[in-house]
Amino acid sequence: MQPTYEPVIGLEIHGELLTKSKMFCGCSADYGSAPEPNTLICPVCTGLPGAMPVVNKRATELAALVGLALNCTINPHNTFARKNYFYPDLPKGYQISQYELPIAEKGWLDINDSPLPRGDELSAGRQLRVRVRRVHIEEDTAKLAHEKKSALIDFNRAGVPLLEIVSEPDMRTVDAALDYATKIRAILRYLGVNSGDMEKGVLRFEANVSVRPVGSDELRTRTEIKNLNSFRALVRASAYEIERQTKVYENGGQVIQETLGWDDVRGVTVSQRGKEDAHDYRYFPEPDLPPLHLSDAWIDLIRSRLPELPEARTNRFIAEIGLSPADARFLTSELFLADYFESVLAKAKSPAKTVHSWMAGEFMRYLNDSAIDIKDLTFSPESFAQLVDMVTDKTISGNSAKAVLNEMFKNGGDPAQIVKEKNLVQVSDTAFIQEAIEKILGDNPREVAQFLAGKETIIQWLMGQVARATRGKADPNVAKELLVKALEARRK
Ligand code: ADP
Ligand code: MG
Ligand code: ZN
């Protein structure tokens, strides 16, 4: 049976901006490193009467950068507004935000309408252009910690610059919403404006969800799921809401507009409050802040700072370096990884494919297993290039290279030096290898008999023995040839 209802999804994404100081005062914005609660505070960010806000210039630059990356128009004249509501984490009783004239609006982001392809097809599914309605600046709230009979409040986070990115309701599948959110996160990280550490709460999603009869273009009543702190929560909560609303309509009911929370343990959305409309916030222009006037020259300057974004870089890695789409996408997923790869490539004489396979293979395996942050590497891209080149020009075997890389990860150092110290230079000297092979075949008559009886796969095991006996120094091609010869010689 054809589905009779289709989802309509719009996302609001809140991301803190990585500035030194808060949005409207000089307090440090690095609340994650604060030694104690309520140490990074002043009259402005705790909302004391008479305290005057001042706009953080750096935050404005970062916000404009995001707007430009999302193909928005930057409003040369934009204004701040007071969004009034009462909650204990909001010391002033209002949040300074942007309402009528945000810093950026009317942009777009191209996404995929289906799960990220794991294979080599560049874009499984439909390409979809999601319109970005607006990008505006606001401030983060304080943090509440609820105890048995009381609540504690920490104002260190209050006033930290926050960016809100609002999409149009253009997404029709949960996968599309996931891809949109994933791409926004990658862009924010590429721009260096947000770490993307979702577990620290520096990036939060709100999903607006409605469903409508397939084929109609009406926008039905939506619900808004607040504070989704992971991609998983975004996916599960949206899927849950789609199913719930579909059932409501199928049973002849009406969806009511409300704000929902996501109960991750029970896997259900829970009603928090009736959704407020804009007028509930009694927005009015912030009297303590002048409008922001951004000159064309300033906007051009910010535009000139836009780095190559993940999508463009992926396409370049495919076209210029010849990587497969899946490989290119993997390397460009992290700015530092992509940069590191390109630096290695620039220094190495080996083909790009070889460099890539060492990076995606041994290098990533080590990083993942050891939980070392790639930024804390103790060796340079140049050293890594040298190592790969030594395998390419057959100075060392692939097995030895793995050992050298291990050493480099542990203690840093120069690969050529390590090769020398460990005496790993590859041996093609047939006499040396021959000797090792004869000993191994002599010691393992059972395996030799198996080979002679037709079990050819035993060669792999025997090659392993050769590698061990020669401590990885035997040139594998030479060794294999000699091994086969020696085995065949035993056929009589
Ligand atoms: P506000 O939150 O100020 O009331 P809107 O309701 O216009 O603003 O939009 C907020 C978010 O909800 C946007 O991301 C928008 O794309 C999304 N949205 C609006 N209407 C719908 C709808 N019918 N279904 C799904 N999402 C919607
Ligand atoms: Mg909202
Ligand atoms: Zn302050």
Side-chain angles (χ1 to χ4, degrees):
M1 202 178 78
Q2 286 289 92
T4 42
Y5 287 90
E6 73 168 358
V8 174
I9 305 172
L11 291 186
E12 294 166 278
I13 298 184
H14 281 100
E16 286 175 0
L17 293 172
L18 276 171
T19 53
K20 287 211 173 69
S21 54
K22 292 187 181 179
M23 189 61 223
F24 302 111
C25 62
C27 295
S28 166
D30 187 12
Y31 62 91
S33 316
E36 300 217 36
N38 297 311
T39 47
L40 310 177
I41 58 173
C42 75
V44 174
C45 54
T46 47
L48 298 189
M52 293 292 273
V54 177
V55 171
N56 182 325
K57 184 161 164 259
R58 179 87 183 129
T60 312
E61 293 172 4
L62 299 182
L65 198 62
V66 173
L68 290 168
L70 297 175
N71 307 292
C72 292
T73 308
I74 303 296
N75 282 325
H77 174 89
N78 57 89
T79 55
F80 290 95
R82 288 189 181 179
K83 179 178 183 178
N84 298 281
Y85 65 95
F86 178 76
Y87 201 66
D89 63 4
L90 193 68
K92 297 191 289 287
Y94 60 87
Q95 179 189 36
I96 304 180
S97 182
Q98 294 195 296
Y99 183 55
E100 279 166 348
L101 289 168
I103 188 165
E105 55 186 337
K106 299 191 185 76
W108 47 265
L109 178 66
D110 284 336
I111 62 150
N112 264 307
D113 210 354
S114 53
L116 272 184
R118 272 173 240 280
D120 273 353
E121 66 286 25
L122 183 54
S123 53
R126 203 154 51 101
Q127 286 274 20
L128 178 72
R129 178 157 290 185
V130 175
R131 291 168 297 158
V132 174
R133 179 185 296 174
R134 55 191 273 136
V135 175
H136 72 245
I137 300 170
E138 52 189 40
E139 54 180 335
D140 213 341
T141 55
K143 265 187 177 169
L144 287 174
H146 296 279
E147 306 223 307
K148 262 195 192 134
K149 286 192 170 168
S150 57
L152 299 172
I153 185 156
D154 174 9
F155 287 103
N156 285 347
R157 195 180 68 179
V160 166
L162 198 62
L163 206 62
E164 179 166 347
I165 303 168
V166 183
S167 85
E168 293 292 346
D170 286 348
M171 289 159 274
R172 300 286 171 269
T173 61
V174 173
D175 287 327
L178 175 62
D179 196 42
Y180 173 85
T182 305
K183 288 206 159 96
I184 294 274
R185 176 175 179 271
I187 289 171
L188 296 181
R189 282 167 52 81
Y190 256 62
L191 298 176
V193 311
N194 183 290
S195 69
D197 286 337
M198 310 238 356
E199 64 284 4
K200 294 192 181 143
V202 301
L203 192 65
R204 283 111 64 180
F205 306 132
E206 273 166 43
N208 296 271
V209 178
S210 63
V211 301
R212 67 184 176 195
V214 172
S216 108
D217 54 11
E218 66 182 313
L219 285 178
R220 290 202 170 182
T221 302
R222 71 187 153 99
T223 57
E224 175 177 1
I225 319 162
K226 287 262 185 207
N227 276 322
L228 298 168
N229 287 327
S230 68
F231 289 107
R232 196 175 124 83
L234 170 66
V235 166
R236 291 178 72 211
S238 314
Y240 177 88
E241 217 18 52
I242 291 164
E243 207 179 307
R244 186 189 70 81
Q245 292 183 20
T246 303
K247 279 197 192 124
V248 168
Y249 287 127
E250 282 174 351
N251 294 331
Q254 285 298 319
V255 170
I256 40 172
Q257 179 166 330
E258 58 185 342
T259 300
L260 304 170
W262 171 244
D263 182 332
D264 204 52
V265 177
R266 284 161 57 218
V268 296
T269 56
V270 282
S271 181
Q272 290 189 330
R273 54 178 189 258
K275 159 77 182 160
E276 48 291 270
D277 283 313
H279 61 254
D280 293 327
Y281 290 123
R282 293 170 289 117
Y283 279 102
F284 64 88
E286 166 59 65
D288 291 340
L289 287 172
L292 274 184
H293 290 287
L294 308 173
S295 70
D296 286 349
W298 185 88
I299 296 171
D300 284 344
L301 176 72
I302 302 299
R303 196 190 306 277
S304 73
R305 292 187 195 155
L306 270 183
E308 185 182 28
L309 294 172
E311 191 89 347
R313 204 165 195 184
T314 302
N315 292 335
R316 184 166 60 78
F317 278 12
I318 295 166
E320 286 178 13
I321 306 179
L323 295 186
S324 73
D327 290 344
R329 210 178 289 109
F330 170 73
L331 282 179
T332 54
S333 63
E334 297 282 338
L335 177 65
F336 196 89
L337 187 61
D339 283 349
Y340 195 90
F341 172 66
E342 288 210 81
S343 311
V344 176
L345 210 56
K347 301 283 182 196
K349 297 184 200 79
S350 309
K353 293 250 163 148
T354 312
V355 172
H356 171 263
S357 78
W358 276 92
M359 259 204 84
E362 275 312 292
F363 181 86
M364 287 312 298
R365 184 158 31 248
Y366 200 97
L367 274 189
N368 292 337
D369 291 354
S370 63
I372 293 180
D373 189 323
I374 187 172
K375 292 183 184 113
D376 301 330
L377 278 188
T378 45
F379 53 92
S380 65
E382 192 161 9
S383 297
F384 189 55
Q386 263 177 33
L387 177 70
V388 176
D389 283 348
M390 280 193 283
V391 183
T392 304
D393 69 20
K394 300 207 154 110
T395 307
I396 56 175
S397 68
N399 273 332
S400 300
K402 287 179 195 172
V404 176
L405 191 59
N406 242 288
E407 180 63 27
M408 285 161 70
F409 267 114
K410 282 202 190 103
N411 302 314
D414 164 24
Q417 189 69 30
I418 299 171
V419 166
K420 224 191 217 162
E421 272 163 23
K422 298 200 172 235
N423 190 21
L424 291 172
V425 173
Q426 182 161 260
V427 181
S428 315
D429 169 6
T430 45
F432 166 77
I433 302 172
Q434 188 82 47
E435 198 179 308
I437 288 176
E438 287 303 330
K439 174 151 192 342
I440 289 162
L441 297 188
D443 290 349
N444 298 284
R446 200 162 55 101
E447 282 72 17
V448 173
Q450 283 175 349
F451 173 83
L452 296 177
K455 189 179 173 192
E456 303 228 330
T457 48
I458 204 76
I459 287 191
Q460 283 321 102
W461 184 84
L462 288 166
M463 280 294 288
Q465 301 302 304
V466 177
R468 235 174 67 186
T470 59
R471 307 221 326 280
K473 291 196 297 181
D475 180 325
N477 291 325
V478 176
K480 177 120 189 236
E481 198 175 306
L482 293 175
L483 178 63
V484 173
K485 252 192 209 154
L487 283 165
E488 290 301 336
R490 283 167 166 72
R491 263 203 205 287
K492 291 123 209 174

